Amino acid sequence: MRIVLTGGPSAGKTTIAETLVRAFYDKIVLVPEAASMLYRGGFPREDATPAVICQQRAIYHVQRELEEIKALDPEGRAQICDRGTLDGLAYWPVSEEEFFQNVCSSMESELARYDWVIHLETAGEHSYQPSSIRRESFAAAQQLNQRTKQAWSKHPRRLIIVNNRNFSKKINLALAVVSMILDGATEESVRTVLFSD
């Protein structure tokens, strides 16, 4: 099973992914975020369209290979992915068609890679902070959140966890949802957790 945590910048994806792995260490393995690995390792990050295309192609291929490596887990645990291959669409500077041409794939193929998609919405302006990796302004982060949501909109098992001023509540909701998924709960019952408040 492969579960992707997606969403805009500063949504808490990495923190929640690491929390999930600690909570369910015997059931899941972490697929780390490819973009952070590349940029922290010195991969060039420029804003010109040709450079962004190169960056997103690299991120896409590293993401796929990370998922393949984690699929070799001898215990056969499920994967929690800190972003997925379709996240690149949110950052892609030209057409969707050109994205799939560049990565030699299709929307259908990429959606089929993941059993569940959990979209974590970007933090509110009161708690949003850029960093060396997260350079976007709050307004840009909000746009990327919407673009990411659109990129995954056709997935049949996409869940959205909205932003909440109480981040611990967001973490607990993600823990409850993933626990149900790992226990084989139906999509309908998992969705009820999101609206139980």
Side-chain angles (χ1 to χ4, degrees):
M1 181 187 294
R2 186 174 287 148
I3 305 165
V4 61
L5 294 182
T6 185
S10 192
K13 295 178 295 296
T14 301
T15 300
I16 290 175
E18 291 170 351
T19 301
L20 289 168
V21 171
R22 285 194 298 272
F24 305 111
Y25 65 92
D26 57 334
K27 295 181 179 179
I28 58 176
V29 293
L30 175 64
V31 179
E33 184 186 14
S36 293
M37 291 177 70
L38 286 168
Y39 293 141
R40 286 196 176 106
F43 196 88
R45 190 172 188 183
E46 300 174 12
D47 296 328
T49 294
V52 175
I53 289 172
C54 292
Q55 292 159 15
Q56 293 306 318
R57 276 198 309 247
I59 291 167
Y60 170 88
H61 289 294
V62 170
Q63 178 70 38
R64 283 191 65 119
E65 296 305 329
L66 285 169
E67 291 172 8
E68 293 303 315
I69 288 172
K70 295 296 183 174
L72 302 174
D73 177 52
E75 297 177 36
R77 290 172 290 182
Q79 294 180 5
I80 287 287
C81 303
D82 187 347
R83 291 199 179 274
T85 53
L86 279 178
D87 279 48
L89 266 179
Y91 296 82
W92 191 251
V94 287
S95 72
E96 180 177 309
E97 180 183 14
E98 289 176 88
F99 174 80
F100 291 112
Q101 287 174 350
N102 269 265
V103 300
C104 302
S105 189
S106 66
M107 175 66 79
E108 294 72 25
S109 294
E110 297 310 313
L111 290 173
R113 293 183 59 78
Y114 304 94
D115 298 283
W116 292 84
V117 175
I118 301 173
H119 182 101
L120 304 166
E121 293 205 314
T122 293
E125 190 169 8
H126 62 282
S127 56
Y128 182 82
Q129 291 184 342
S131 68
S132 59
I133 298 296
R134 185 171 53 247
R135 306 184 309 174
E136 300 86 3
S137 67
F138 175 71
Q142 290 290 88
Q143 291 176 346
L144 286 166
N145 181 63
Q146 293 304 316
R147 287 172 59 99
T148 306
K149 197 180 289 185
Q150 179 60 35
W152 292 97
S153 63
K154 295 179 182 175
H155 196 284
R157 287 181 166 176
R158 181 185 66 160
L159 309 168
I160 297 174
I161 297 180
V162 299
N163 178 53
N164 190 295
R165 291 182 70 91
N166 184 343
F167 186 62
S168 63
K169 184 175 179 180
K170 196 175 190 181
I171 292 175
N172 288 334
L173 190 53
L175 284 164
V177 164
V178 171
S179 178
M180 291 181 73
I181 289 171
L182 294 173
D183 288 342
T186 65
E187 181 184 352
E188 181 181 2
S189 61
V190 173
R191 287 188 184 280
T192 61
V193 174
L194 298 175
F195 304 103
S196 59
D197 265 354

